[in-house]
């Protein structure tokens, strides 16, 4: 169960292994969130068609909900005789013997593991209970790791979506590996992919000073940011594969760890072409205004001469 970080596979592996360890015909793993709501419900021994006929998963109103609140092992010879039992929904397989244990890690309640119908009609033994408690402790670590992996993956996808939706080019460098990660806009501006290990050299080659000269060794904004420097709004040129120079406004900053050390850096490229075009248009309008004022002045002087 620790061989995978994918939560569905881990959960199914937990309930399957628990049934095999105790020779239980049926098993279920109920996982809940921090507020106690049922988040996942995984079963063993019940076919998908039977699950469909049973309907909605349990809501924790009866014995299962009480065990969630109790957070202690519970072993019964006949679960229907327990005062908290509310029976089964229609089309549910008959179940009698019962063993339930909590699944938690470091004081955090993650869920409960339920087993029913030990083979040969026997009751679950104290040895089964002890074995299942040990197994549940290991299962909790696997579940927690899989949850963390899912959260990290969701956060990575969220950040990727933010990066790829940005109108600016963005490049991240990992200091330990030198690996670059760029959004689509950055690769579009640079006209290259920044995935391979040699990407940094390509990025340094294509990024030039405002006059088109190569940037001195170690003077690239990413290298400066890795040394802890903050770069805000400096002008550079990106020389594309066809030789066309793309003016960009560049900002870069270090990404620091909990101890304040730079563990990476991020650079942002903003295409200044629209700004340059607008500036050129303003200059052209100013020049045209100056020419018109000069013509007007000449016309004024001509009329004054005629009047005189």
């Amino acid at each position: 169960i620790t061989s995978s970080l994918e939560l569905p596979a881990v959960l199914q592996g937990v309930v399957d292994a628990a049934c095999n360890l105790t020779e239980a015909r049926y098993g279920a793993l109920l996982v809940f969130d921090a507020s106690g709501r049922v988040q996942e419900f995984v079963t063993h021994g019940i076919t998908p068609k039977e699950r469909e006929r049973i309907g909605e998963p349990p809501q924790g109103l009866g014995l299962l909900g009480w065990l969630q609140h109790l957070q202690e092992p519970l072993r019964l010879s006949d679960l229907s005789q327990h005062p908290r039992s509310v029976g089964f929904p229609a089309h549910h397989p008959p179940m009698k013997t019962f063993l339930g244990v909590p699944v938690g890690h470091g004081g955090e309640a993650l869920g409960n593991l339920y087993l029913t119908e030990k083979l040969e009609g026997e009751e679950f033994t104290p040895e089964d209970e002890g074995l299942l408690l040990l197994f549940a402790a290991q299962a909790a670590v696997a579940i927690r790791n899989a949850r963390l992996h899912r959260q990290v993956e969701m956060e990575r996808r969220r950040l990727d979506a933010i990066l790829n939706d940005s109108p600016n080019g963005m490049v991240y460098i990992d200091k330990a590996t030198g690996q670059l990660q760029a959004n689509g806009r950055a690769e579009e501006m640079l006209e290259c992919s920044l995935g391979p290990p040699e990407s940094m050299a390509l990025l340094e080659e294509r990024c030039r000073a405002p006059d088109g000269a190569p940037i001195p060794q170690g003077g690239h904004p990413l290298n400066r940011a890795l040394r802890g420097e903050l770069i805000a709004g400096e002008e550079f040129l990106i020389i594309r594969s066809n030789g066309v120079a793309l003016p960009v406004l560049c900002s870069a900053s270090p990404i620091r760890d909990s101890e304040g050390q730079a563990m990476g850096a991020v650079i942002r490229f903003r295409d200044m072409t629209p700004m340059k075009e607008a500036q050129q248009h303003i200059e052209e309008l100013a020049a045209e205004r100056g020419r018109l004022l000069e013509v007007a002045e000449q016309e004024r002087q001509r009329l004054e001469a005629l009047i005189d």
Side-chain angles (χ1 to χ4, degrees):
I1 63 172
T2 58
S3 63
S4 174
L5 285 175
E6 297 301 324
L7 188 58
V10 169
L11 298 181
Q12 191 64 59
V14 166
V15 68
D16 291 346
C19 288
N20 292 333
L21 282 172
T22 58
E23 297 184 322
R25 181 177 180 183
Y26 300 111
L29 176 61
L30 185 149
V31 179
F32 37 84
D33 59 21
S35 64
R37 291 192 299 267
V38 176
Q39 192 176 47
E40 306 276 355
F41 185 70
V42 185
T43 60
H44 172 94
I46 299 177
T47 66
K49 184 173 289 188
E50 287 174 324
R51 282 281 299 268
E52 185 177 347
R53 292 183 66 196
I54 292 171
E56 294 294 324
Q59 301 301 310
L61 301 178
L63 182 61
L64 301 188
W66 185 73
L67 182 61
Q68 178 179 334
H69 174 74
L70 184 67
Q71 285 297 292
E72 291 181 1
L74 182 64
R75 184 162 43 88
L76 302 171
S77 58
D78 187 351
L79 62 87
S80 66
Q81 300 304 309
H82 193 278
R84 293 277 182 169
S85 176
V86 294
F88 295 111
H91 311 295
H92 197 286
M95 297 178 180
K96 186 176 180 181
T97 56
F98 176 87
L99 174 59
V101 299
V103 179
H105 178 77
E108 178 187 5
L110 301 175
N112 291 318
L113 189 56
Y114 313 106
L115 306 178
T116 62
E117 296 302 289
K118 189 175 174 68
L119 298 182
E120 308 300 333
E122 300 176 358
E123 295 183 17
F124 290 101
T125 66
E127 289 75 16
D128 290 330
E129 181 180 316
L131 182 62
L132 196 60
L133 280 170
L134 289 173
F135 175 72
Q138 298 297 318
V141 175
I143 292 172
R144 186 172 182 274
N145 290 342
R147 272 184 165 180
L148 290 174
H149 174 72
R150 172 182 279 187
Q151 291 171 5
V152 170
E153 185 64 19
M154 290 175 63
E155 182 65 15
R156 185 190 66 79
R157 292 179 181 178
R158 186 182 73 85
L159 291 175
D160 283 347
I162 292 172
L163 286 175
N164 288 320
D165 284 343
S166 172
N168 298 325
M170 302 186 73
V171 180
Y172 169 77
I173 182 171
D174 185 286
K175 186 175 183 178
T177 64
Q179 189 73 31
L180 297 182
Q181 182 181 354
N183 67 351
R185 180 58 178 145
E187 294 189 341
E188 178 186 336
M189 295 168 74
L190 293 159
E191 290 189 330
C192 64
S193 172
L194 295 179
E198 62 274 9
S199 296
M200 187 62 195
L202 183 60
L203 180 60
E204 291 175 333
E205 177 188 339
R206 299 221 168 162
C207 192
R208 302 289 185 89
D211 60 0
I215 298 174
Q217 184 71 27
H220 191 279
L222 272 181
N223 291 325
R224 291 160 57 191
L226 285 175
R227 296 195 295 267
E229 186 177 345
L230 189 65
I231 297 96
E234 293 188 9
E235 291 191 29
F236 290 91
L237 292 179
I238 290 178
I239 307 300
R240 299 176 127 177
S241 56
N242 59 3
V244 173
L246 180 69
V248 294
L249 197 64
C250 172
S251 298
S253 55
I255 306 297
R256 302 184 185 277
D257 59 19
S258 58
E259 297 178 354
Q261 300 297 315
M263 56 183 286
V266 63
I267 186 172
R268 295 166 290 280
F269 295 115
R270 180 183 176 187
D271 185 358
M272 292 181 64
T273 302
M275 189 185 304
K276 293 286 188 182
E277 291 175 347
Q279 183 178 354
Q280 182 181 355
H281 184 59
I282 290 171
E283 290 173 355
E284 290 173 352
L285 288 176
E288 180 65 15
R289 179 176 179 274
R291 189 187 67 81
L292 291 174
L293 287 174
E294 184 179 348
V295 170
E297 178 62 21
Q298 291 174 356
E299 185 65 18
R300 186 188 65 78
Q301 292 176 4
R302 188 181 69 83
L303 289 174
E304 287 181 352
L306 288 176
I307 292 172
D308 291 343

